[in-house]
Amino acid sequence: MDSHNHFLANESSLIDPFGRTIDYLRLSVTDRCNLRCTYCMAEDMTFLPRAQILSLEELRDVATAFVDLGVKKIRLTGGEPLIRRDIIKLVSAIASLPGLEEVTMTTNGMLLSKMAQPLKDAGLGRINISVDSLKADRFKELTRLGDLDQWHKSIRVAKESGFNKIKLNTVILAGFNDDEVLDLAHYAVDNEMDISFIEEMPLGAISSHERSETLVTSDQVREQLERNFSLVDSVETTGGPSRYLQVVGSKSKIGFISPMSNNFCSSCNRVRMTAEGRFLLCLGNENSMDLRHVMRSHPGDSVLLKAKIVEALHSKPERHHFDPNRTDIVRFMNMTGG
Ligand code: SAM
Ligand code: SF4
């Protein structure tokens, strides 16, 4: 039986044509954001009209379909997920889906001081909070609109709200924050958090810097860290394209997300939904299916929705081909859901 037939014969699990089991969905709930990070967005962005964004019910239906098909983990993202109206209701609806093991979120943290506890109470399992600098002026420069004091306040509340483990996400850019690798890692260790260092990807055309000049590879970050921390391989795996090291003598792990320097596509376990309902098979390719159209032309037809998801998975590419010198993918990260 070839992999294609095998896939059709077993529709309760999502297995792509390269034999990879997909059990992780990243669901973007909005393309809008209260920040404008230089590497993620242009300064002057046009956002989608609200009617084009999936409604709360559509987001819930799509999540339900994926979970029925075997997805075990859903990460809510954006844009900034916390500016989406009724996000708490959505977390609660998704957290109660039978079969789902975990609902998580990636946020810039700005609104967490008000929302961390309600999110925890609604069933959010873990939370990733982005931060690229611990210097107030630089934080402001990189995010264009952010306020580091507010971020710290949010972190304090998030820690008190009882999340198991908070993970920080940091994009390191040469000449902007590559001198803060150690400070950021120390901050994570001192606060018993994990931290992932992410290589900048060439998603969307930006004017603030040349991405080919700012790329810092995970190996370069790791070299800096190994001079100051004792790091050992961690057993933890997300089953996806990130690698973790345990900081010896601490509760913290350091992760490396290396889409530019290291290709982990062969172990990819994830797919994405954009805020407008495009089912995106790979971050670095445009292969997708318009599931909003499916849902709006056949409201309530969950059988059709699941069949379309299964059909679309046939076109999951084998790998991405990112090149920091080229912006082949014009879609910005806020559209995609990081
Ligand atoms: N607004 C939320 C936040 O910032 O955490 C969630 C969405 S954001 C797109 C998710 C993650 O993608 C953030 O950690 C951000 O730093 C990262 N990101 C954005 N643009 C990126 C790029 N071009 N390359 C690599 N990571 C990027
Ligand atoms: Fe907004 Fe997150 Fe993009 Fe920054 S990285 S502009 S916080 S979506």
Side-chain angles (χ1 to χ4, degrees):
M1 188 188 281
D2 68 26
S3 59
H4 178 81
N5 285 337
H6 170 71
F7 174 62
L8 287 179
N10 181 11
E11 291 193 359
S12 67
S13 72
L14 295 170
I15 301 173
D16 82 355
F18 302 97
R20 296 170 296 195
T21 298
I22 306 303
D23 57 8
Y24 180 13
L25 171 69
R26 296 171 84 110
L27 184 57
S28 174
V29 299
T30 178
D31 63 330
R32 289 165 197 249
C33 189
N34 43 0
L35 302 183
R36 297 283 184 279
C37 302
T38 54
Y39 53 81
C40 176
M41 291 193 184
E43 190 156 16
D44 190 16
M45 292 288 290
T46 308
F47 295 107
L48 294 166
R50 286 191 201 280
Q52 288 184 26
I53 300 283
L54 294 190
S55 68
L56 204 67
E57 292 69 30
E58 288 166 337
L59 285 166
R60 192 201 52 213
D61 288 352
V62 108
T64 307
F66 274 99
V67 173
D68 281 354
L69 288 167
V71 159
K72 301 271 177 272
K73 173 172 161 184
I74 295 182
R75 176 172 297 281
L76 301 175
T77 179
E80 174 47 40
L82 294 183
I83 64 170
R84 170 78 198 222
R85 201 177 334 136
D86 291 337
I87 186 71
I88 306 285
K89 270 193 200 159
L90 182 66
V91 169
S92 175
I94 292 180
S96 64
L97 291 175
L100 186 72
E101 288 170 7
E102 193 175 35
V103 53
T104 63
M105 180 179 283
T106 302
T107 168
N108 61 34
M110 284 296 126
L111 297 173
L112 271 180
S113 58
K114 289 204 183 73
M115 298 175 79
Q117 193 65 58
L119 285 166
K120 178 81 180 92
D121 296 345
L124 194 72
R126 283 183 300 147
I127 196 154
N128 288 2
I129 306 177
S130 300
V131 62
D132 303 316
S133 176
L134 295 169
K135 298 178 196 277
D137 50 347
R138 200 181 264 182
F139 185 90
K140 172 94 188 169
E141 188 191 341
L142 281 167
T143 60
R144 294 196 180 102
L145 298 171
D147 172 14
L148 189 61
D149 285 343
Q150 180 55 38
W151 185 86
H152 278 297
K153 195 168 162 199
S154 286
I155 286 279
R156 275 196 299 278
V157 177
K159 281 175 73 178
E160 284 159 13
S161 303
F163 285 103
N164 288 343
K165 198 65 176 275
I166 294 175
K167 185 163 75 110
L168 303 178
N169 272 354
T170 301
V171 180
I172 295 292
L173 306 177
F176 287 91
N177 64 349
D178 51 337
D179 56 346
E180 279 193 74
V181 168
L182 291 180
D183 288 351
L184 285 155
H186 275 297
Y187 178 87
V189 170
D190 292 348
N191 286 284
E192 301 189 346
M193 296 172 183
D194 294 336
I195 182 166
S196 279
F197 291 100
I198 306 171
E199 290 174 351
E200 181 186 15
M201 289 173 275
L203 297 174
I206 53 167
S207 57
S208 54
H209 57 272
E210 285 290 337
R211 297 197 200 262
S212 56
E213 290 168 11
T214 50
L215 179 64
V216 180
T217 64
S218 293
D219 282 350
Q220 290 168 317
V221 173
R222 187 172 167 164
E223 262 171 43
Q224 280 200 52
L225 292 166
E226 280 181 331
R227 275 186 253 128
N228 291 270
F229 294 95
S230 177
L231 304 173
V232 292
D233 278 331
S234 162
V235 284
E236 182 184 321
T237 166
T238 57
S242 34
R243 294 292 169 269
Y244 287 92
L245 298 174
Q246 182 72 42
V247 181
V248 176
S250 84
K251 294 194 168 158
S252 297
K253 283 186 280 299
I254 298 186
F256 298 96
I257 302 178
S258 323
M260 306 304 292
S261 64
N262 228 324
N263 192 291
F264 291 116
C265 298
S266 63
S267 59
C268 183
N269 64 340
R270 58 199 59 191
V271 289
R272 294 172 161 82
M273 281 289 296
T274 71
E276 57 185 333
R278 224 177 118 199
F279 175 27
L280 197 61
L281 281 306
C282 169
L283 194 53
N285 286 278
E286 291 298 1
N287 305 25
S288 68
M289 181 181 275
D290 181 358
L291 292 184
R292 184 188 65 196
H293 174 72
V294 173
M295 286 188 282
R296 291 191 182 172
S297 54
H298 296 82
D301 190 343
S302 62
V303 174
L304 178 70
L305 181 57
K306 283 188 260 185
K308 287 291 180 189
I309 292 171
V310 169
E311 183 189 323
L313 205 69
H314 295 163
S315 68
K316 184 165 168 67
E318 187 170 12
R319 52 167 297 167
H320 64 69
H321 295 275
F322 285 132
D323 176 345
N325 294 302
R326 295 200 324 254
T327 305
D328 297 341
I329 305 291
V330 293
R331 128 178 79 70
F332 284 97
M333 190 68 162
N334 70 302
M335 277 302 303
T336 310

